[in-house]
């Protein structure tokens, strides 16, 4: 409400120019200033609860309960009441949106929890595999050292075995010195015997050749004597020599003939 006098608003419309001129208490002003003054006095010309022209009765009857409540708040309540109501509706819309978002996120969270439970075993297997891989990597890093240590131990064992074998060889060599001398002596004797055997073999070969020569001479002489005996027998006893099977014929054709017996046989036949 105004404290000093009434506020008279005048509007002049120029139809030819299609313009409107606004006046407050017969003073020219703009439409914006007029609207501000009207709003300051809480005058709502478009609110059917304050101004209900005859042609707007049908529209007023069609208002819903919510629209009627808003129009009543605007007409009888303080200006901030409708603003508070609008803020309350906006907050309610935001609340619904937040509830919907919260519900969706809750459902999504439940799904994620279920999925997490399903993936939990996979994650445990993954971490277990990672632990095994880390252990394998560590063991692979330690492998050269372990191999070196094993080789070093084997080297020490082989070295000790070599030293033992060398000591045994030394002792065996020391124990074999008399035997070595004996073997050398036997080798010298063997060499001497082989030399003597070779000499004897040469002598035997020469003697054998001489014997063979003598035997050849004896065989030639034997053949000559045999020929002479046969001729002699043929001259003395031609009748006896022509008969096969007689003692004279047998003796004359025998290689180992006993000439003394042959002569006795010839003497008997001659007599």
């Amino acid at each position: 409400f105004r404290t000093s006098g009434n506020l008279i608003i005048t509007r002049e419309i120029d139809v030819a120019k299609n313009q409107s001129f606004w006046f407050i208490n017969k003073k020219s002003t703009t439409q914006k200033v007029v609207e501000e003054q009207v709003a300051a006095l809480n005058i709502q010309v478009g609110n059917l609860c304050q101004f209900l022209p005859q042609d707007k009765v049908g529209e007023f009857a069609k208002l819903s309960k919510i629209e009627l409540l808003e129009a009543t708040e605007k007409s009888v309540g303080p200006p901030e009441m409708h603003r508070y109501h609008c803020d309350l509706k906006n907050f309610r819309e935001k609340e619904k949106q937040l509830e919907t978002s919260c519900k969706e996120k809750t459902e999504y969270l439940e799904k994620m929890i279920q999925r997490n439970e399903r993936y939990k075993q996979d994650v445990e297997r993954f971490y277990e595999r990672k632990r095994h891989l880390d252990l394998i990597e560590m063991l692979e890093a330690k492998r050269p050292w372990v191999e070196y240590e094993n080789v070093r131990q084997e080297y020490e064992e082989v070295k000790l075995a070599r030293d033992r074998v060398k000591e045994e060889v030394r002792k065996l060599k020391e124990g074999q010195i008399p035997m070595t001398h004996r073997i050398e002596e036997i080798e010298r004797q063997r060499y001497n015997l082989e030399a003597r055997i070779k000499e004897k073999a040469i002598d035997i070969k020469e003697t054998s050749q001489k014997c063979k020569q003598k035997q050849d001479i004896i065989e030639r002489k034997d053949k000559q004597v045999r020929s002479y005996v046969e001729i002699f027998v043929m001259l003395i006893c031609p009748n006896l020599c022509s008969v096969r099977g007689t003692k004279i014929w047998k003796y004359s054709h025998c290689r180992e003939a006993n000439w003394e017996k042959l002569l006795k046989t010839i003497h008997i036949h001659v007599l």
Side-chain angles (χ1 to χ4, degrees):
F1 296 97
R2 288 176 60 83
T3 56
S4 59
N6 294 327
L7 185 66
I8 300 172
I9 298 173
T10 306
R11 180 182 182 185
E12 293 181 359
I13 300 173
D14 188 349
V15 178
K17 296 181 180 180
N18 194 19
Q19 291 181 351
S20 295
F21 300 97
W22 295 89
F23 299 92
I24 297 176
N25 294 330
K26 297 182 180 181
K27 292 182 180 180
S28 178
T29 185
T30 62
Q31 183 179 354
K32 183 177 180 181
V33 174
V34 172
E35 291 176 352
E36 290 176 355
Q37 292 295 328
V38 171
L41 295 173
N42 196 21
I43 298 173
Q44 303 172 12
V45 179
N47 190 346
L48 298 180
C49 291
Q50 286 188 356
F51 296 96
L52 184 59
Q54 188 66 32
D55 57 346
K56 299 291 185 179
V57 174
E59 293 181 6
F60 180 77
K62 294 179 181 179
L63 291 176
S64 63
K65 294 180 180 180
I66 296 174
E67 293 174 344
L68 186 60
L69 176 61
E70 291 179 353
T72 303
E73 289 176 350
K74 291 178 182 179
S75 62
V76 299
E80 60 272 12
M81 179 181 289
H82 182 260
R83 187 174 68 253
Y84 291 159
H85 189 196
C86 291
D87 293 340
L88 183 62
K89 289 194 297 181
N90 293 331
F91 290 149
R92 178 56 182 167
E93 290 295 329
K94 290 181 180 180
E95 182 183 7
K96 289 181 179 179
Q97 293 177 359
L98 291 174
E99 287 178 354
T100 303
S101 177
C102 182
K103 184 177 180 181
E104 292 176 353
K105 290 182 179 180
T106 302
E107 292 177 354
Y108 180 76
L109 178 61
E110 291 294 331
K111 292 180 180 179
M112 291 296 103
I113 291 174
Q114 294 176 1
R115 183 179 297 178
N116 187 34
E117 290 295 328
R118 289 196 301 270
Y119 292 160
K120 187 175 181 180
Q121 295 180 354
D122 295 337
V123 172
E124 291 178 355
R125 287 195 294 269
F126 171 77
Y127 283 114
E128 184 177 1
R129 179 176 179 274
K130 188 175 184 302
R131 287 194 297 271
H132 289 309
L133 291 176
D134 293 338
L135 180 61
I136 291 171
E137 184 178 359
M138 182 185 67
L139 294 176
E140 287 292 338
K142 289 184 177 180
R143 175 184 288 180
W145 173 256
V146 175
E147 292 178 352
Y148 166 77
E149 187 65 23
N150 293 333
V151 172
R152 189 185 65 80
Q153 292 179 359
E154 292 178 359
Y155 169 75
E156 293 295 334
E157 293 176 357
V158 171
K159 185 178 179 182
L160 293 175
R162 184 199 63 182
D163 294 338
R164 288 195 298 269
V165 171
K166 287 176 68 175
E167 183 65 22
E168 291 177 359
V169 170
R170 186 185 64 79
K171 292 180 179 179
L172 290 174
K173 285 183 177 180
E174 291 178 355
Q176 287 178 352
I177 290 175
M179 185 63 68
T180 303
H181 294 331
R182 178 62 178 166
I183 291 171
E184 291 176 354
E185 181 66 24
I186 292 172
E187 286 291 332
R188 286 194 295 271
Q189 293 178 2
R190 183 181 64 82
Y191 178 76
N192 295 329
L193 289 174
E194 287 179 353
R196 291 175 62 186
I197 288 170
K198 288 181 180 179
E199 292 176 356
K200 294 296 182 182
I202 293 171
D203 295 339
I204 291 170
K205 186 176 181 181
E206 292 177 353
T207 304
S208 177
Q209 290 178 355
K210 291 179 180 180
C211 291
K212 187 176 181 182
Q213 291 175 359
K214 296 293 184 180
Q215 186 177 0
D216 292 339
I217 293 171
I218 291 170
E219 287 180 355
R220 286 196 301 272
K221 295 295 183 180
D222 183 69
K223 288 180 181 180
Q224 291 177 1
V225 172
R226 190 185 302 274
S227 299
Y228 293 153
V229 170
E230 288 179 355
I231 294 169
F232 176 74
V233 171
M234 288 175 65
L235 291 174
I236 296 175
C237 303
N239 295 326
L240 293 174
C241 292
S242 61
V243 180
R244 286 181 176 273
T246 61
K247 291 182 178 180
I248 296 173
W249 187 87
K250 289 180 179 179
Y251 279 116
S252 65
H253 289 80
C254 181
R255 185 175 181 181
E256 293 83 8
N258 192 332
W259 299 110
E260 185 178 355
K261 290 182 179 181
L262 179 59
L263 292 175
K264 288 181 179 180
T265 304
I266 294 170
H267 179 71
I268 292 169
H269 282 281
V270 170
L271 295 176

